[in-house]
Amino acid sequence: MSITTESLLGLLHLASPALPVGAFAYSQGLETAIDRQWCYNRETTGNWISDLMQQGMARLDIPVFFRMYDAFATEDQKQVIHWNETLLAFRETRELYDEDCQVGRAFAVWVKSMYPEETRTDWLQSPTQAAMFALSSICHGIDRKTAATGLLWSWCENQVTAATKAVPLGQTDAQHILKRLIHGIEPALTTARSLEDHEIGNNLMHFAMASCWHEHQYSRLFRS
């Protein structure tokens, strides 16, 4: 896999936690997992995030991302809308649904500011983060696998950052978790590429329940 310097820098730009889309405000159920002592140290936290990546991101978000990337690239608005709505339909709780819509809308505003002549941002009334990451990657000239790698890395980094604050973890433990997650990114991409349309979806009941409980959690740092 080769990538130009400009595309690499574009990927780093998109995957940066400094991107003004508000993803840092969400833990995606991790805060509840910490509150319930499912995640309390480096090993248990790493297990939680790794499981969500392999059974969640790899089986839902990334395969849908691939399809939206291809649809944007071929100007297939109908397929973009279909897969964006499919991804939102899989959000098990109001928190997860609102998170994706809020981050997606902020991402769309950012894309418009970077590419004023880009009209594909108007295709979706409630764009997801994956949709806008796909469109941004095309605008940056980033190929689909490299773009998916960046999306996964950004998700991993957000999860570990949330854990660092809430477990709490030291910086060294956080870096060990990230190192472990790096080894899981390629297998996650392989799984995502292998899925047929009817195989897309996750079955993470503990993740869904953590999100449900988080809505009523007494003390919270994050919005999900």
Side-chain angles (χ1 to χ4, degrees), residues 148-181:
T149 303
L151 179 57
L152 269 178
W153 171 252
S154 178
W155 178 85
C156 289
E157 197 167 29
N158 279 334
Q159 285 284 288
V160 173
T161 299
T164 302
K165 297 175 184 177
V167 171
L169 292 174
Q171 292 296 330
T172 299
D173 281 341
Q175 292 304 310
H176 275 286
I177 293 175
L178 282 173
K179 181 180 179 181
R180 172 183 171 181
L181 294 172

Side-chain angles (χ1 to χ4, degrees), residues 46-84:
N47 290 342
W48 172 272
I49 300 173
S50 180
D51 284 348
L52 290 189
M53 179 167 66
Q54 300 301 333
Q55 302 301 321
M57 294 293 289
R59 303 195 65 85
L60 176 59
D61 295 66
I62 301 304
V64 171
F65 167 84
F66 281 141
R67 285 158 175 79
M68 286 194 286
Y69 182 105
D70 292 342
F72 272 122
T74 58
E75 303 283 343
D76 191 339
Q77 182 177 358
K78 183 178 180 180
Q79 283 297 299
V80 170
I81 293 172
H82 167 74
W83 287 111
N84 188 78

Side-chain angles (χ1 to χ4, degrees), residues 91-139:
R91 299 312 185 202
E92 296 98 328
T93 67
R94 181 61 183 267
E95 275 196 354
L96 294 173
Y97 182 92
D98 286 348
E99 173 189 347
D100 212 352
C101 290
Q102 289 161 6
V103 173
R105 283 195 294 267
F107 216 137
V109 171
W110 180 84
V111 175
K112 288 182 179 179
S113 71
M114 293 292 104
Y115 300 95
E117 297 181 359
E118 178 55 67
T119 61
R120 286 172 290 185
T121 52
D122 299 324
W123 286 2
L124 300 168
Q125 291 185 344
S126 297
T128 58
Q129 181 180 8
M132 290 300 99
F133 203 100
L135 180 57
S136 302
S137 299
I138 291 171
C139 292

Side-chain angles (χ1 to χ4, degrees), residues 36 68 109 144 206:
R36 290 177 174 261
M68 286 194 286
V109 171
R144 68 201 293 270
H206 62 304

Side-chain angles (χ1 to χ4, degrees), residues 28-29 32 93 95-96 206-215 224:
Q28 298 191 346
T32 296
T93 67
E95 275 196 354
L96 294 173
H206 62 304
F207 170 62
M209 291 307 302
S211 180
C212 288
W213 289 325
H214 187 266
E215 293 181 358
S224 76

Side-chain angles (χ1 to χ4, degrees), residues 58-59 63 66-67 187-197 199:
R59 303 195 65 85
F66 281 141
R67 285 158 175 79
L189 292 173
T190 299
T191 297
R193 289 196 301 269
S194 71
L195 296 180
E196 300 292 338
D197 290 356
E199 296 176 306

